[in-house]
Amino acid sequence: MEPTATKITVVRWARHELIEYIVIAAYLYICFSALILYKATILRAHGIEYEALGLALIKALVLGKFIVIANTLRLGELSGVDRPILKILSKTLCFGLLLVMLSVGEEVIVGLIHGHTTRESLGEIADGYLPQAFAVGLLMMLILIPYIAFREISARLGEGNLVKLLIARATAAHDAQA
């Protein structure tokens, strides 16, 4: 292979990775922002001001990069499984657990920076309320399902075909059936 061909391949791969990263980070930002706005409205009803949309952006950018890496490493892929639903559920569980672990790690690191012990930091996750921590983990996995399902269905249909299908106008034959 010539150096020029290798360079083009690397550039194409880098472009693909960047686009994938931008898409997942944007998707996560929209989801996290919606959750933060929801939380803010509930807290505001109790007289507590809360808005952290900047936090949603930072979290989306960081977690988006880890999702791209997890995709590259094929995290959660089951060998020999040909059913898309099983692939989607397996990846969702693995990615969700990864994101929860990363979020816990983030809380511990931020706590250490602010002079808290690891134990104190862990106690502050979800305000020390285990059902809330579980709910956050569940929401993370629910947010991942559409993204992972889109990727799996797209891979099955062939690269770019699902996007074309979703943005194309209906054909005359389809209009006649409707």
Side-chain angles (χ1 to χ4, degrees):
M1 187 184 280
E2 295 180 19
T4 307
T6 304
K7 190 176 188 180
I8 291 171
T9 304
V10 170
V11 169
R12 189 175 295 158
W13 171 83
R15 182 175 181 266
H16 179 267
E17 291 292 308
L18 180 62
I19 290 169
E20 186 176 336
Y21 173 64
I22 290 169
V23 167
I24 188 58
Y27 174 71
L28 290 174
Y29 177 67
I30 291 166
C31 292
F32 294 162
S33 294
L35 290 172
I36 286 172
L37 288 172
Y38 179 67
K39 183 176 182 176
T41 58
I42 291 171
L43 291 174
R44 197 169 293 130
H46 295 287
I48 302 168
E49 289 298 316
Y50 176 84
E51 290 213 22
L53 294 178
L55 175 66
L57 179 61
I58 292 168
K59 227 174 181 31
L61 292 171
V62 171
L63 294 179
K65 186 58 187 165
F66 282 108
I67 288 174
V68 170
I69 291 169
N71 278 327
T72 302
L73 297 175
R74 301 183 184 277
L75 182 70
E77 287 192 10
L78 301 173
S79 61
V81 174
D82 195 31
R83 294 189 178 161
I85 189 68
L86 294 177
K87 287 183 175 185
I88 292 166
L89 293 175
S90 155
K91 280 187 171 183
T92 298
L93 182 61
C94 288
F95 281 39
L97 291 174
L98 173 69
L99 296 185
V100 166
M101 290 186 319
L102 291 169
S103 294
V104 168
E106 172 195 9
E107 290 296 323
V108 169
I109 290 169
V110 169
L112 291 173
I113 290 170
H114 289 100
H116 300 289
T117 66
T118 301
R119 185 182 192 119
E120 289 171 334
S121 297
L122 290 174
E124 291 178 12
I125 293 175
D127 299 324
Y129 187 56
L130 192 58
Q132 183 178 346
F134 176 76
V136 169
L138 184 60
L139 283 171
M140 291 272 241
M141 285 193 249
L142 290 173
I143 286 170
L144 289 170
I145 289 174
Y147 167 73
I148 293 170
F150 183 90
R151 283 184 52 89
E152 288 299 316
I153 294 168
S154 184
R156 191 144 284 212
L157 293 176
E159 190 171 333
N161 289 330
L162 181 57
V163 172
K164 288 177 192 172
L165 179 68
L166 291 172
I167 63 174
R169 292 186 183 267
T171 62
H174 180 268
D175 290 341
Q177 290 177 349

